[in-house]
Amino acid sequence: MDAVVFDLDGVLVDSEQTWDEVRRAVVADHGGSWTATATRAMQGMSTPEWARYLVEHLGARLTPDRIAQVVIDQMAQRYAGGPPVLPGAAAAVHAVGERYPVAIASSSPPVLIQAFLEATGLTGLVEVALSSEQVAAGKPAPDVYLEAARRLGKDPARCAAVEDTTNGLKAALAAGMTVYAVPNPHFPPDPAVLAQVHRVLDTVADLPAALRE
């Protein structure tokens, strides 16, 4: 293994529910209607993709650019006191970073990725911090993982990826990486997709030991 690429939301930060709450509230405030499939459909989407989804599929009466700004501003307010870092997450990245180059490949916008790095003191350790806003397509497309590997100067087939949701797992698998799953307890991944990963972990804190094995 030449490098390790982490997802952010649900793997390092307990934020999947917060994204869901904020988007639901913004859609309701602007005349849209939530659907039973909306939450899972948007997991892994880049900012432009989920913003269009809120407008075109859920009927929110704002432009995609404006609704993206409203949602991100509210997320930033939630992060104002520090992002909800999962127990053991920062220590796990530190431990992995002592042995491998590490990257973050996230669907979060750059401002929230940076908030996590600064809050955890990982800015100097994480060599590449990439948002799917910066590539052609969000997860489940592999673009953000492939670009992270390219920026690290590594072959994706020699990288490990750490993911929690169905679309994230699909993206990492499509990139040809060795995938470690930390299933999100609030939004469990599709069992058929989970069956394709290299290993399933209880928490991200288990990753350093799993990589040593």
Side-chain angles (χ1 to χ4, degrees):
M1 202 62 62
D2 291 341
V4 179
V5 186
F6 291 87
D7 176 40
L8 181 65
D9 296 295
V11 171
L12 302 176
V13 179
D14 189 13
S15 54
E16 293 283 9
Q17 286 180 291
T18 306
W19 276 106
D20 198 51
E21 290 168 5
V22 169
R23 287 176 180 146
R24 284 175 182 264
V26 170
V27 166
D29 288 346
H30 295 279
S33 298
W34 204 259
T35 66
T37 57
T39 297
R40 290 186 183 277
M42 283 186 285
Q43 286 175 341
M45 284 187 182
S46 67
T47 300
E49 290 169 340
W50 60 251
R52 288 194 300 270
Y53 189 96
L54 297 180
V55 173
E56 296 171 7
H57 293 269
L58 304 185
R61 293 194 289 269
L62 290 174
T63 66
D65 285 348
R66 179 57 186 152
I67 203 166
Q69 193 59 58
V70 170
V71 170
I72 292 169
D73 285 350
Q74 291 194 21
M75 286 296 297
Q77 290 173 18
R78 299 283 189 105
Y79 276 33
V85 180
L86 282 161
V93 178
H94 272 290
V96 172
E98 291 176 356
R99 300 182 62 210
Y100 304 99
V102 295
I104 287 176
S106 174
S107 302
S108 275
V111 64
L112 298 185
I113 299 173
Q114 190 60 36
F116 166 78
L117 293 174
E118 291 174 358
T120 54
L122 291 170
T123 304
L125 182 69
V126 175
E127 296 187 21
V128 173
L130 189 65
S131 168
S132 56
E133 289 183 16
Q134 299 164 275
V135 296
K139 303 169 186 177
D143 302 39
V144 71
Y145 278 107
L146 294 173
E147 179 63 12
R150 188 191 71 78
R151 294 190 185 192
L152 288 170
K154 306 298 182 183
D155 179 352
R158 294 191 57 81
C159 295
V162 192
E163 272 287 357
D164 66 313
T165 61
T166 298
N167 284 345
L169 294 170
K170 285 181 176 179
L173 289 164
M177 295 187 176
T178 299
V179 182
Y180 290 80
V182 185
N184 191 299
H186 309 296
F187 308 105
D190 181 341
V193 177
L194 196 61
Q196 300 174 50
V197 309
H198 175 70
R199 186 162 174 182
V200 179
L201 306 176
D202 291 331
T203 74
V204 71
D206 298 330
L207 181 67
L211 290 171
R212 286 193 295 272
E213 294 170 10

